[in-house]
Amino acid sequence: MSNCIWHNCGSIMQQGSDIAPQAVSTRMVAGMWWFFTLIMCASYTANLAAFLTLNRLEGSISSAEDLAKQHKVKYGTMAGGSTASFFKNSNDSTYKRMYTTMSQSRPSVFVNSNEEGVERVQKGKGLYAFFMESTSIEYQVERKCDLQQVGGLLDSKGYGIGMPVNSPYRTMVSGAVLKLQEKGVLQELKSRWWKVQQGGVSCSEEDAKAPTEDSNKLGLANVGGVFVVLIAGTCAAFLMAVLELLWNCRKIAVQEKISPCEALLSELKFAMNCSNANKPVRRKLEQEDDDDDENAMPVGVSAGSFVRLGFGKLTQAE
């Protein structure tokens, strides 16, 4: 048992062991175990490297300027929209450079609608960013938990109620909107239609309730095939061990002239006895050796008598 533990620990640590199995079945078990530890260590190393790389990538992009400094994550807007016009007509050199990059990107990073842009972000797996109005972004982020809003506002624009010029209702509507905002009615309406529409739960509430855990952990489903190979290899090695035991019992039965069942029982008894590492000599062999010695002694005596008798005849003849 101590040798098995030492062999397995050496395999996991990728250091090997000076103890090597000899039988075919135990070599099969050792080979499956080496394959299992190799895949597990390689998977852990690859998952750790990917996790560190992803965290570094996510932490490096926190604003539009960070997007402009890198070339791995593509970004775009709705074609012909107000956001695209902002980048196109902006006097800021960074935003101008970003619009030039978007215009020269192939395939095109522009989309025909905000819905198409959101779908492209979801399919991009972190390699595509989409610019659109902050209110629409808040709505999409509350509805789809796999989306994330990065950075602050690029250009602040407000919403209003359109009325004819010199309309007599302008002052009353403006005052009513201010009263609703002061009483918190507008915030309640936003929460109702943004977060709890149709009785659902918003993503922000789910994130607050959900326990903090690593989303990039290596699950059992990712390495399930390795366990299947290990179990299948162990079963095959067990069958091989049974065949080796039966073949060995047959050889013992032939050599010692006993029944195969007796040989099998004696081998199983010795295998189950973990306190004794030395196999005792069989009693039948000892009895046969004693019988052979007894049979050999009269022959030796007769031979000696024959020699003395012959010697005596020679003496008398002389």
Side-chain angles (χ1 to χ4, degrees):
M1 183 62 67
S2 60
N3 292 338
C4 291
I5 295 175
W6 176 252
H7 180 270
N8 294 342
C9 291
S11 302
I12 294 177
M13 298 300 177
Q14 303 294 313
Q15 298 298 322
S17 174
D18 54 350
I19 303 172
Q22 299 295 329
V24 178
S25 57
T26 50
R27 287 186 176 183
M28 291 178 62
V29 174
M32 291 298 103
W33 176 253
W34 290 339
F35 176 78
F36 175 79
T37 56
L38 174 65
I39 299 300
M40 292 299 295
C41 293
S43 300
Y44 175 78
T45 305
N47 187 74
L48 179 62
F51 171 74
L52 296 177
T53 303
L54 183 60
N55 283 353
R56 187 163 52 250
L57 181 61
E58 291 179 351
S60 62
I61 299 177
S62 58
S63 63
E65 289 75 10
D66 294 334
L67 278 175
K69 294 177 183 178
Q70 54 85 42
H71 300 281
K72 185 175 183 179
V73 179
K74 304 295 181 181
Y75 47 88
T77 63
M78 187 176 69
S82 60
T83 306
S85 300
F86 163 75
F87 281 101
K88 183 178 181 181
N89 301 323
S90 177
N91 295 324
D92 190 278
S93 59
T94 302
Y95 297 153
K96 283 185 175 180
R97 187 172 69 255
M98 293 179 68
Y99 183 79
T100 302
T101 302
M102 288 187 288
S103 301
Q104 296 176 353
S105 298
R106 295 293 181 273
S108 177
V109 293
F110 295 103
V111 296
N112 297 324
S113 63
N114 289 338
E115 290 75 12
E116 183 181 349
V118 171
E119 184 179 357
R120 187 168 179 179
V121 170
Q122 291 177 320
K123 294 181 179 179
K125 302 298 183 180
L127 298 179
Y128 180 79
F130 183 69
F131 291 99
M132 66 179 178
E133 291 76 11
S134 60
T135 307
S136 300
I137 291 178
E138 292 178 7
Y139 181 81
Q140 295 292 342
V141 169
E142 290 293 341
R143 289 284 183 240
K144 302 175 181 178
C145 300
D146 56 346
L147 299 179
Q148 180 183 6
Q149 182 178 359
V150 179
L153 301 178
L154 303 180
D155 184 29
S156 180
K157 292 186 176 68
Y159 289 90
I161 300 175
M163 290 186 177
V165 180
N166 300 323
S167 174
Y169 302 104
R170 176 177 177 273
T171 303
M172 290 185 292
V173 171
S174 298
V177 170
L178 289 176
K179 289 181 180 179
L180 292 175
Q181 186 175 4
E182 290 174 356
K183 293 181 179 180
V185 177
L186 294 181
Q187 186 63 32
E188 291 179 2
L189 292 174
K190 183 178 180 180
S191 300
R192 173 185 174 185
W193 293 98
W194 258 245
K195 298 182 179 181
V196 293
Q197 172 71 0
Q198 298 177 356
V201 181
S202 64
C203 295
S204 58
E205 295 177 355
E206 289 184 357
D207 294 339
K209 295 179 180 179
T212 57
E213 59 178 354
D214 182 17
S215 59
N216 300 301
K217 64 182 181 180
L218 189 64
L220 181 62
N222 303 109
V223 292
V226 187
F227 287 91
V228 173
V229 173
L230 179 63
I231 294 174
T234 304
C235 294
F238 176 77
L239 294 178
M240 181 62 67
V242 172
L243 294 177
E244 288 181 343
L245 177 62
L246 296 178
W247 179 256
N248 186 37
C249 292
R250 180 181 179 278
K251 292 173 60 178
I252 293 176
V254 172
Q255 294 176 358
E256 301 181 2
K257 298 180 180 180
I258 59 178
S259 64
C261 293
E262 294 178 355
L264 179 61
L265 291 176
S266 61
E267 291 294 323
L268 291 177
K269 183 178 179 180
F270 171 74
M272 296 299 294
N273 187 10
C274 300
S275 61
N276 187 14
N278 298 321
K279 182 180 292 188
V281 180
R282 300 183 183 278
R283 295 181 178 179
K284 193 165 185 177
L285 289 178
E286 294 177 354
Q287 294 177 359
E288 291 180 355
D289 293 341
D290 295 340
D291 295 340
D292 293 341
D293 293 339
E294 292 177 358
N295 295 331
M297 287 180 63
V299 174
V301 173
S302 301
S305 302
F306 179 77
V307 170
R308 288 195 297 270
L309 180 59
F311 181 77
K313 287 184 178 180
L314 289 175
T315 303
Q316 291 177 2
E318 290 176 349

